[in-house]
Amino acid sequence: MKESTTDNEPRDDAADSSTQRHRQIVSWLAAACFLIGVVLTAGRIVLAYQTPGPFDPSRQGYCDFHNGVYFPALAFREGVSPYSSAYVQQYPVERSIPFYSPLVLALHAPLTWLPLAVAEVVYFIVSLGMLLGIAWLSVRWTTGSAGAGWRWDWFWIVASSLVFTRGGQQTLFTGYFTFELILGALLAVHYGKTHPWRSVLGLVVISCKPTFVLPIAGLMLFRGNIKAVAFAGVISLVLAVACFGWLIQSGSAAELMSDIGTSQDVHRSDDYELPANTWTRIDVLAIVAKWTDWVPGDATHLVWMIGLLLPAAIVLSIYHRHNRDDGAATGLSGAIVLLTSLVAIFHQVYDTMILTPAIVAILIALRPAWDALSWRMRMFLAISMLMPALNYASSLMVLNRFQIDGFAKDVVTSLNAISLLIACAVLLVLAWNRCGGRANRASV
């Protein structure tokens, strides 16, 4: 017996050493893929760089950074409302900004003390840091206290995947502030119960965009995260009022509200914003409107949002009473909050990056909430959630290149929202069954 143990030990050590070498090789290969993706994206920005001014669909490199980050923040710093027509006349932009909280302008104001070219480079580096942050949180939340230890191979696989998905690629290429919203949403949902102040920070960040904060904060209330939502609401309101106060110092509140209304009308009249023409929206209402050639108004969006959030709110309230799982990756409730928020109201393909921790957790299945599911169910959920990120057939580049139009275009561009809706329904059924005691209890 003793000899057998001695004989086995070298083989075990050799197996462990071989596993470590394989993991290191995978880590280096995935890190190389990440760097290749970054270099290709940077080169694409340079080759298709859009000079600030009128929008050119053939050259969109960093167009969103110019129109949605730098110049609106510069106007804010200089006391000019970026919601106004005066802003369009004074700055090299395509149009005024939609109704975002002015807090987003204050957050980006420090960039405006840098020359535009320097600010672009700085923001690109910051964006890469935030992308790596999303990957780090996804792996940390998936493996933490699960006995797996830190895995660099998983980290670099997630990071390189984000660079090549539609959302990561589009965000890096156009320079939009999506990564900020993704990180804010993940912090808000994951720490709503365990670390409320971290959740407050995330909620304040996503309060910059109403379509992010309304469904997420609403569902968090039903999940029992009242403290985080309440404090975040007060802080966000105070900061927004202060920012609005800065903007109306040379005008009036009535003028500012009129400018916001006019700006919203301009965005609604854009052909790209119409549901019938969109190839990027993933909310259910957009798909219904696409197939019925319908243009729903703001009130209709709110009614649909409430109707779609209601089933999730009921399940989450029951989960809360049973003290069930929580977090953005550790259980069903966090995934339900994030996924339902996407299908309930106006969202785009790049917003699906908030599902990254849940997808990683589903695929790795170290947590009881996901390990209890069959392999087929986990693959089905992962593929359904990944559809918008990997469905390049619905990208404008492919649609134009292969001249996909009419019925075929409607089908291809509807798959993203339909797959997310199906995944959402499956999660709600799973959660309902667990609440009824028909599956093992999941824990954080």
Side-chain angles (χ1 to χ4, degrees):
M1 190 71 163
K2 185 175 181 180
E3 290 179 357
S4 176
T5 303
T6 304
D7 290 341
N8 285 336
E9 286 178 354
R11 286 198 294 270
D12 292 340
D13 291 343
D16 290 341
S17 178
S18 177
T19 299
Q20 289 300 323
R21 284 197 301 272
H22 288 156
R23 289 178 179 177
Q24 289 176 357
I25 292 172
V26 171
S27 297
W28 283 108
L29 289 175
C33 288
F34 172 79
L35 290 176
I36 291 171
V38 171
V39 171
L40 290 176
T41 304
R44 185 184 174 204
I45 293 172
V46 173
L47 292 175
Y49 179 80
Q50 186 168 104
T51 303
F55 181 73
D56 181 357
S58 66
R59 303 184 65 84
Q60 298 185 42
Y62 252 47
C63 62
D64 285 336
F65 178 77
H66 301 150
N67 290 280
V69 177
Y70 186 83
F71 288 111
L74 178 61
F76 173 81
R77 197 194 85 190
E78 295 174 347
V80 177
S81 170
Y83 308 103
S84 66
S85 57
Y87 161 70
V88 180
Q89 297 170 0
Q90 296 179 38
Y91 297 86
V93 293
E94 170 69 16
R95 60 188 182 186
S96 56
I97 64 171
F99 181 47
Y100 299 151
S101 167
L103 178 58
V104 72
L105 307 172
L107 289 176
H108 294 139
L111 288 168
T112 64
W113 271 278
L114 300 173
L116 177 60
V118 177
E120 290 168 343
V121 174
V122 168
Y123 196 72
F124 185 77
I125 295 172
V126 171
S127 296
L128 288 177
M130 289 187 287
L131 182 151
L132 292 174
I134 295 169
W136 182 78
L137 289 176
S138 299
V139 175
R140 180 174 180 268
W141 290 341
T142 299
T143 62
S145 72
W150 180 254
R151 293 285 298 270
W152 283 107
D153 51 344
W154 290 346
F155 168 76
W156 285 114
I157 288 172
V158 175
S160 59
S161 298
L162 283 172
V163 170
F164 286 100
T165 57
R166 290 185 63 193
Q169 181 63 209
Q170 185 175 0
T171 300
L172 288 173
F173 175 61
T174 64
Y176 196 51
F177 56 90
T178 308
F179 290 138
E180 301 169 40
L181 297 172
I182 300 301
L183 281 173
L186 294 179
L187 291 175
V189 172
H190 191 78
Y191 292 116
K193 181 170 67 175
T194 57
H195 297 86
W197 284 107
R198 297 181 190 178
S199 181
V200 168
L201 174 62
L203 284 168
V204 170
V205 171
I206 65 174
S207 71
C208 295
K209 195 170 183 179
T211 54
F212 256 82
V213 73
L214 288 176
I216 290 177
L219 291 177
M220 286 178 64
L221 286 175
F222 286 93
R223 201 177 59 159
N225 307 141
I226 298 174
K227 178 180 178 181
V229 174
F231 277 105
V234 172
I235 294 172
S236 300
L237 180 61
V238 170
L239 292 176
V241 169
C243 292
F244 274 125
W246 171 259
L247 287 177
I248 64 175
Q249 60 181 329
S250 58
S252 67
E255 290 176 351
L256 180 60
M257 297 309 297
S258 176
D259 289 338
I260 291 174
T262 302
S263 179
Q264 286 294 94
D265 291 338
V266 170
H267 282 266
R268 290 193 198 96
S269 64
D270 190 330
D271 285 342
Y272 286 120
E273 299 292 336
L274 297 177
N277 300 328
T278 183
W279 66 94
T280 58
R281 281 182 61 172
I282 55 172
D283 52 296
V284 173
L285 180 57
I287 302 307
V288 173
K290 176 189 292 289
W291 286 94
T292 58
D293 198 22
W294 174 34
V295 183
D298 291 342
T300 304
H301 276 87
L302 288 174
V303 171
W304 274 70
M305 180 188 75
I306 294 171
L308 289 167
L309 292 182
L310 188 58
I314 294 172
V315 171
L316 290 172
S317 63
I318 297 174
Y319 247 49
H320 174 57
R321 289 201 299 270
H322 286 78
N323 194 30
R324 293 289 181 133
D325 56 336
D326 202 355
T330 52
L332 292 177
S333 66
I336 288 172
V337 172
L338 295 170
L339 186 52
T340 309
S341 70
L342 291 177
V343 301
I345 197 170
F346 193 110
H347 275 293
Q348 308 280 10
V349 167
Y350 43 76
D351 295 329
T352 59
M353 286 186 289
I354 62 174
L355 299 177
T356 303
I359 293 171
V360 173
I362 290 170
L363 291 173
I364 295 176
L366 290 177
R367 296 288 182 171
W370 308 116
D371 184 49
L373 301 178
S374 68
W375 178 85
R376 288 185 178 86
M377 177 59 73
R378 289 193 292 108
M379 291 304 103
F380 176 80
L381 284 171
I383 293 171
S384 298
M385 293 184 188
L386 281 169
M387 176 66 74
L390 303 179
N391 183 16
Y392 274 94
S394 65
S395 67
L396 187 61
M397 176 181 65
V398 174
L399 292 172
N400 289 340
R401 174 67 177 81
F402 295 97
Q403 297 182 344
I404 302 174
D405 205 354
F407 178 78
K409 178 182 178 181
D410 289 343
V411 171
V412 170
T413 55
S414 298
L415 286 176
N416 300 325
I418 293 172
S419 66
L420 291 181
L421 180 62
I422 293 173
C424 185
V426 171
L427 285 181
L428 289 175
V429 171
L430 290 172
W432 180 268
N433 288 341
R434 288 187 179 181
C435 290
R438 288 187 287 273
N440 292 330
R441 178 168 178 167
S443 63
V444 176

